[in-house]
Amino acid sequence: MRLSALLESGHLGLRLLSGTAGLGRRVRGVMTTDLRDPSRYLRGGELVLTGLAWWRGPEDSEPFVRILADAGVAALAAGEAEFGAVPEDLAAACARHRLPLFAVAEEVGFAEITEHVVRQVSGERAGDLAAVVARHRRLMSAGPAGGGPRAVLDLLASDLDLRAWLLSATGRPLAAARQERLPGGLGAELAAHQLTAARTGRRGPYRAVVDGVVYSLFPVRAGTGGDVRRTLLSDWLLAVRADARDWPAQRLDLLDGVAQLIAAERDRREATRAVPRRLAQEVLDLLASGAPPAEVAARLRVAAPGPVPGPAAVRWQVVTARVTWPDADFDTGPVGRALLEELLTDAGAHEAGAAVAHGGGEAVALVPVRAEDGDSATVAGGGGGPLRAETVLGPVREVLAAGLGGEGRLTLGVSAAVPSAEGLRGALEEARHALRVAAARPGQVSGAGHGELASHVLLLPFVPDDVRRAFTARLLEPLRDYDRRHRAELVPTLEAFLAADGSWTRCAARLHLHVNTLRYRIGRVEQLTGRDLTRLEDKLDFFLALRMS
């Protein structure tokens, strides 16, 4: 509302003391204060109500009014109850700073003014928002020239004073009003709240409290109906810094409309991935059929060309992913594909030209890699080195666990980079083998890479549990029992000895022991187990037992 409309509200009995030229200003809120410096609570556009308890003399008026003017408030309304009239020096200060000043009669309560302003402002904002949302819906239906999600979030900030962010399912910021940055780590926490609540099937918005601040989370869903797990791990969310439980139905409906508007834009972006997905599927089909490398290479260049400028050679990595729920009665391949696309975007690989397909419950990504200096390689268009399983999963492990619930699992396998299409079939098998290694490990979110396929780590997950327990018990239980009775620390000493490659001096220095003490402990290990730690096979047995324990 405008100040002129406030002055025309006769039942409020406001009198204008100065600032006629400013009556065209818009009022965006109201605040009551008697602080000498209320700047920390001002955002601009407010009608400030004060009972003048801060005023002790003429020298107090100028600093107070200057603070209000610098904050961009719309006007000041001063009560006459305290002094019987508004001090002249306050009126003079307002005139100097061109700040409209109203006098509030003693019989008029600040609560009455506040309720009137809030009622008028909320109604106007809701109407403005609805009109602009409708306009954006028409513009966005005609193409991306409508401004996209950021324009809608700017609208929430300007017309409803709402701070809002659009986040991916893993918490990556996608858009914000006025480029407002989201505090580090907050996106992941909000995404975890969203996923946990959405798994229950409840309708949003969901409430999240982080560091004492309340956020309302509105799902931006990629689909409707059916099992929520079909889109759970790829849905966006609109995070608003406010408690929607206090909102009237009209405002909730408007925010739901905003979420639907963004969902329409999201569907448009999703449609652009249809061609790369189809081409990636064709590459996989060619590999499965044993097609000549030249034919695979031709299709690969179309499927995932990647922004690889200059003379740099192009290499390729294959990433496989599988999402499973024991009771799922639907194909989880599309779920894994959408999630893998999101994870690769987080890692900077999707913008580099990665293409993702799915089949048989498995998602497969073809990732272009730029190689320049011998074996060194980076994701094309990025700078963080070749993809690794932990690089992809580590930052979002907890978020994904929240979406998977107690029974779901995500496993991921990453191949080495290969220099041409001739090696792509081998890279695919390598990624799938790494996927099987990841699946054999405990945990809801597990990944493995090519570097783990050439070591004992590859073998250990496939050893039956009863064999593992028997093997470790036979070697380590005598030592653990001795440690429990004598506090001798034989097991930690053995670990340090093996880590030092059997070097007495390095191990003693690492443990801060005398070499003779170390020799005594290792001798006790050999006596209790009947093994000889000068023999390679006995060292290897202890090493594996410690890794499997």
Side-chain angles (χ1 to χ4, degrees), residues 149 153 165-169 171-176 236-237 269 342 345:
L153 300 188
W165 299 266
L166 181 63
L167 307 175
S168 72
R172 177 172 52 88
L174 301 172
W236 292 351
L237 66 139
R269 295 187 187 183
E342 178 59 38
T345 300

Side-chain angles (χ1 to χ4, degrees), residues 282-295:
E282 291 178 5
V283 172
L284 296 180
D285 291 342
L286 290 173
L287 292 175
S289 65
E295 186 176 353

